[in-house]
């Protein structure tokens, strides 16, 4: 790791309306995108302050205390409540330090990048995967270099908006594991029923199908290897989880990988320690042959925990 180059505050706004923000299953979802981003930022020499609106209710105080030490702030976004809350956060930062770069990413900002960066509370939008782009962007800002050669961003200079070429996707196994040491994991293990202690994680990105309602569709599928998946599962089991929900857009893509995953669970005896659930495309699931591989999935997902 490089010598410290400054501090980055990463803010995860609420992504459900106020009436749903007390729900245990919502509060149990960790800031997955920022946990993925924090590792590459730290490898580049930056300290990271993680702020999750679900739990860090006094984020204004936290920002005020660190404002003079920050190199920039980052905001993730989903369409809806997260945009409103993210802009409130960005406005607060700008009220304290108008010069501090405010960088947005996530699904909404990627989809509506020009609209996002036209807002004076947003300086740069990182489109798509940020693990490479964000550290390179910070380096360019620190060195006062032009951003026009940096792929994967929208940015504003004066009254002009610029868009650079897309950054190619990359194998996500090249990046560090989630920076769980930056959060309190106990916050994110939620009780959703008698004896059910649920954790949430994610192992892949992208989906090849063409669903118009989903921004993850029509994208190359990127998956963690099975060893990385099991290490993540064992992390949550060690902290008391006995159910884990996988937030993958379409977990059941690729029969060989799923069979490998389920066999690895059985080989380690983990089926005795937790149950799991995952997302699938319904019309594909109903067409799957009820064969040995589905029996393996069922056994590993439903063994007594």
């Amino acid at each position: 790791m490089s010598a410290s180059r400054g501090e980055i505050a990463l803010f995860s706004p609420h992504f459900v309306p106020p009436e749903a923000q007390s729900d245990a299953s919502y509060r149990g979802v960790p800031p997955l995108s920022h946990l993925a981003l924090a590792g590459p930022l730290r490898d580049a020499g930056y300290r990271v302050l993680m702020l999750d609106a679900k739990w860090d209710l006094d984020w204004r105080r936290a920002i005020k205390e660190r404002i003079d030490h920050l190199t920039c702030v980052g905001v993730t976004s989903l369409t809806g409540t997260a945009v409103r809350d993210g802009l409130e956060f960005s406005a607060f930062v700008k009220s304290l330090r108008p010069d501090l770069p405010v960088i947005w990413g996530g699904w909404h900002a990627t989809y509506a990048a020009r609209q996002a960066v036209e807002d004076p509370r947003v300086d740069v939008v990182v489109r798509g995967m940020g693990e490479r782009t964000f550290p390179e962007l910070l380096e360019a800002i620190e060195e006062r270099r032009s951003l026009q050669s940096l792929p994967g961003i929208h940015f504003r200079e004066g009254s002009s908006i610029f868009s650079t070429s897309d950054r190619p996707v990359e194998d996500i196994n090249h990046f560090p594991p989630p920076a769980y040491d930056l959060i309190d994991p106990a916050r994110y293990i939620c009780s959703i029923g008698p004896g059910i202690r649920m954790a949430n994680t994610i192992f892949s990105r992208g989906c090849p199908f063409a669903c118009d309602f989903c921004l993850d569709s029509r994208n190359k599928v990127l998956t963690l290897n099975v060893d990385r998946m099991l290490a993540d599962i064992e992390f949550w089991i060690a902290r008391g989880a006995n159910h884990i929900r996988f937030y993958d857009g379409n977990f059941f893509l690729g029969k060989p990988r799923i069979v490998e995953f389920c066999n690895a669970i059985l080989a380690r005896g983990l089926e005795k320690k937790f149950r799991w659930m995952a997302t699938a495309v319904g019309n594909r699931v109903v067409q799957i042959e009820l064969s040995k591989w589905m029996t393996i999935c069922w056994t590993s997902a439903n063994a007594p925990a």
Side-chain angles (χ1 to χ4, degrees):
M1 181 182 292
S2 308
S4 178
R5 303 173 66 176
E7 185 172 25
I8 314 300
L10 299 179
F11 179 69
S12 293
H14 284 293
F15 56 86
V16 299
E19 60 269 22
Q21 290 171 9
S22 61
D23 183 79
S25 61
Y26 164 68
R27 290 168 66 82
V29 180
L32 295 169
S33 58
H34 281 164
L35 289 169
L37 185 59
L41 285 173
R42 294 198 298 188
D43 283 351
Y46 296 97
R47 300 184 307 278
V48 177
L49 171 66
M50 194 81 70
L51 295 172
D52 184 351
K54 294 191 295 293
W55 292 98
D56 299 305
L57 305 183
D58 200 5
W59 54 260
R60 290 175 181 80
R61 179 188 58 79
I63 286 294
K64 209 166 187 177
E65 288 177 352
R66 302 303 303 163
I67 192 68
D68 292 332
H69 304 280
L70 294 176
T71 300
C72 81
V73 299
V75 181
T76 190
S77 58
L78 284 173
T79 303
T81 301
V83 175
R84 181 199 64 198
D85 285 8
L87 288 174
E88 180 183 350
F89 172 86
S90 301
F92 182 74
V93 169
K94 288 294 189 183
S95 73
L96 298 176
R97 267 188 65 186
D99 64 307
L100 189 67
V102 174
I103 301 169
W104 275 49
W107 285 118
H108 181 86
T110 294
Y111 178 73
R114 183 177 183 89
Q115 181 189 58
V117 84
E118 285 175 346
D119 191 297
R121 294 164 288 188
V122 181
D123 298 303
V124 183
V125 166
V126 172
R127 306 190 312 268
M129 296 172 64
E131 287 94 338
R132 294 287 180 213
T133 306
F134 206 139
E136 291 181 10
L137 170 62
L138 295 182
E139 184 177 299
I141 290 173
E142 287 182 331
E143 296 177 0
R144 300 183 183 279
R145 290 190 278 110
S146 170
L147 304 183
Q148 296 195 30
S149 62
L150 182 68
I153 63 171
H154 272 64
F155 66 98
R156 187 178 60 255
E157 281 188 358
S159 60
S160 299
I161 304 293
F162 297 92
S163 170
T164 67
S165 60
D166 290 339
R167 180 179 290 272
V169 297
E170 184 175 348
D171 184 349
I172 57 177
N173 291 286
H174 294 169
F175 305 129
Y180 287 134
D181 60 296
L182 293 177
I183 62 172
D184 177 2
R187 289 177 167 181
Y188 299 99
I189 297 177
C190 56
S191 297
I192 61 170
I196 299 177
R197 300 181 299 281
M198 177 73 78
N200 299 275
T201 190
I202 191 167
F203 297 134
S204 66
R205 306 178 195 178
C207 179
F209 299 110
C211 302
D212 289 336
F213 63 84
C214 179
L215 290 177
D216 210 19
S217 65
R218 301 180 180 89
N219 285 321
K220 182 177 180 179
V221 179
L222 307 168
T223 61
L224 288 177
N225 63 51
V226 168
D227 286 341
R228 288 274 299 261
M229 296 166 73
L230 293 186
D232 195 288
I233 288 167
E234 289 174 330
F235 171 89
W236 288 109
I237 291 173
R239 282 149 186 83
N242 60 12
H243 284 63
I244 302 180
R245 176 169 49 193
F246 308 151
Y247 259 84
D248 306 57
N250 190 354
F251 185 78
F252 292 94
L253 283 173
K255 175 178 173 179
R257 174 174 173 269
I258 299 302
V259 171
E260 180 188 7
F261 170 68
C262 293
N263 278 330
I265 288 176
L266 297 173
R268 296 197 189 187
L270 294 178
E271 81 282 359
K272 301 179 179 68
K273 298 181 179 180
F274 84 112
R275 296 180 182 180
W276 57 271
M277 63 179 70
T279 306
V281 174
N283 63 0
R284 280 180 52 83
V285 171
V286 299
Q287 296 175 38
I288 292 174
E289 178 189 357
L290 186 59
S291 58
K292 180 181 177 182
W293 87 275
M294 281 302 292
T295 303
I296 292 171
C297 290
W298 178 261
T299 302
S300 68
N302 292 280

